[in-house]
Amino acid sequence: MSSLFKGGISVSIFGESHGKGIGVVLDDLPAGEEIDLDEIDKFMARRAAKSDGTSTMRLEKDIPDILSGVYEGKTTGTPLAAVIMNGDQHSKDYGNIAHIARPAHADYTGFLRYSGANDPRGGGHFSGRLTAPLVFAGAVCAQILSRRGITTGAHILSIRDVKDDSFDPMNVTAEQLSAVKSGSFPVLNDSAEGKMRELILAARSDLNSVGGIVECAAVGMPAGVGSPMMNGLENIISQLVFAIPAVKGIEFGNGFGCADLFGSENNDEFAMRDGKVVTLTNNHGGILGGISSGMPIIFRAAFKPTPSISRPQKSVDFKDMTEQELVIKGRHDPCVVPRAVPCVEAALNIALVSALASEGKL
């Protein structure tokens, strides 16, 4: 099943962008975990569309209805199921392009994969709308991690060529990760916000879109969690981050920058600090051999520009096998990056809970 993540916990996401609702089922969560619904609402609100012109005008309330798995405010240990009803669909916007491939979308590949039986409205199951249940799952996992002293957080590192400050890979703190979540625009340096907003609004006015990079970190993760080769911590995190439709790349620590260094520059030397083994630098991003080192986990995810733009584009009708000119209607984000920040954080939360659960460390 393509929309099922199976590790120490399992996460199954269902629904379509313009269907009746979307949802998620989490299984193998520890029993007895308190679930603060207000905190879940706050987490999900960070993903919600804004009315400031920087995001889609599709304004969904995204109120999760928990159907099972929670009793008297605590997890039962049995499957936790939640559904989020769709209420602001404009399906007519897609009636004239049901068989015309939108560039950079999964319309054509989805048609091939499911022999034309897939729901094409708003991208169907391929839509970014499906990140709402992913964020719900990540919000639940955030509370489980918090009780174990683990804090995660993310910010916009860049939108096109406008950059924010980076996390300090050695000194990022739980307080910093918590603080960046409280702002209306998740950046570390407030001076970057205005420039980023200006760039997004300019792209919208130009019937275009822009992409960017989200940087994410975790502190408090104990050393020794993860496995080599096929089930490394980087593997697990990457699998879940790539569940976010617009992600096209990921790097941990120095990432691709390592390719430009000598080993003497890239190696993180070991030392003892307060009776603990640490590294003097953190080019490895907190993971060595697929296993947590105890240093902050840091990675970056690259997001492509929103595929749906209002400019005329060349395409094909893949049923009639004819070339067409396509003009996309509807309500679309000129940049998905600001709303993607909690999605990346949610993916990390799920990955860390799963890794801890698989080794009996929850």
Side-chain angles (χ1 to χ4, degrees), residues 17-351:
S17 177
H18 286 218
K20 187 174 181 180
I22 53 181
V24 62
V25 179
L26 294 96
D27 206 352
D28 297 316
L29 291 175
E33 294 285 336
E34 292 186 7
I35 300 299
D36 187 328
L37 297 180
D38 289 337
E39 287 300 313
I40 288 177
D41 288 344
K42 290 178 184 178
F43 199 115
M44 296 193 66
R46 294 161 54 207
R47 180 198 165 276
K50 307 298 187 293
S51 56
D52 59 2
T54 61
S55 64
T56 176
M57 294 306 292
R58 179 178 178 177
L59 302 177
E60 295 282 4
K61 294 181 179 179
D62 284 353
I63 300 173
D65 184 7
I66 297 177
L67 306 179
S68 65
V70 176
Y71 178 67
E72 295 185 344
K74 295 183 179 180
T75 57
T76 62
T78 55
L80 193 166
V83 65
I84 301 168
M85 304 309 294
N86 290 327
D88 191 23
Q89 312 98 305
H90 286 187
S91 298
K92 65 180 185 301
D93 291 336
Y94 300 90
N96 67 325
I97 60 170
H99 306 134
I100 300 177
R102 293 173 297 169
H105 276 280
D107 300 332
Y108 176 58
T109 53
F111 174 82
L112 294 176
R113 173 64 177 82
Y114 297 107
S115 303
N118 57 298
D119 183 347
R121 300 169 300 171
H125 192 68
F126 297 94
S127 171
R129 177 82 186 120
L130 274 295
T131 59
L134 179 75
V135 167
F136 170 83
V140 170
C141 289
Q143 297 184 31
I144 296 173
L145 293 173
S146 178
R147 295 189 189 96
R148 288 151 180 84
I150 302 168
T151 304
T152 63
H155 73 109
I156 304 170
L157 181 61
S158 66
I159 292 179
R160 201 166 186 265
D161 56 353
V162 178
K163 300 185 184 301
D164 186 22
D165 296 338
S166 298
F167 285 137
D168 183 331
M170 291 293 293
N171 299 305
V172 61
T173 64
E175 291 74 20
Q176 184 182 34
L177 296 179
S178 297
V180 76
K181 303 175 190 179
S182 61
S184 60
F185 201 82
V187 290
L188 302 179
N189 188 332
D190 292 340
S191 66
E193 177 179 349
K195 297 175 184 178
M196 288 181 177
R197 288 184 180 275
E198 183 179 335
L199 181 58
I200 294 170
L201 293 174
R204 178 189 284 277
S205 297
D206 199 32
L207 306 182
N208 219 330
S209 63
V210 288
I213 298 173
V214 172
E215 185 176 52
C216 191
V219 296
M221 186 68 175
V225 178
S227 299
M229 297 291 287
M230 307 304 182
N231 203 32
L233 203 51
E234 290 143 320
N235 307 49
I236 300 169
I237 295 169
S238 297
Q239 180 180 353
L240 284 155
V241 169
F242 274 108
I244 304 167
V247 171
K248 297 302 290 184
I250 190 168
E251 65 174 7
F252 292 83
N254 263 5
F256 285 97
C258 295
D260 297 328
L261 302 177
F262 289 107
S264 57
E265 297 172 303
N266 186 65
N267 289 352
D268 299 308
E269 296 182 316
F270 286 95
M272 296 298 301
R273 294 290 184 270
D274 301 321
K276 294 176 57 178
V277 175
V278 299
T279 57
L280 298 178
T281 50
N282 190 18
N283 295 327
H284 66 286
I287 303 172
L288 289 167
I291 302 168
S292 58
S293 69
M295 300 300 290
I297 293 173
I298 295 184
F299 69 91
R300 289 163 292 279
F303 285 79
K304 66 183 179 182
T306 312
S308 292
I309 58 176
S310 298
R311 294 184 174 193
Q313 299 176 86
K314 294 179 180 179
S315 186
V316 297
D317 185 316
F318 47 77
K319 276 203 168 180
D320 295 345
M321 301 302 286
T322 57
E323 293 186 349
Q324 301 282 342
E325 181 178 79
L326 173 66
V327 177
I328 298 174
K329 300 178 181 179
R331 303 159 296 170
H332 307 285
D333 294 274
C335 180
V336 301
V337 178
R339 297 179 65 200
V341 168
C343 302
V344 175
E345 187 181 319
L348 177 60
N349 292 343
I350 296 167

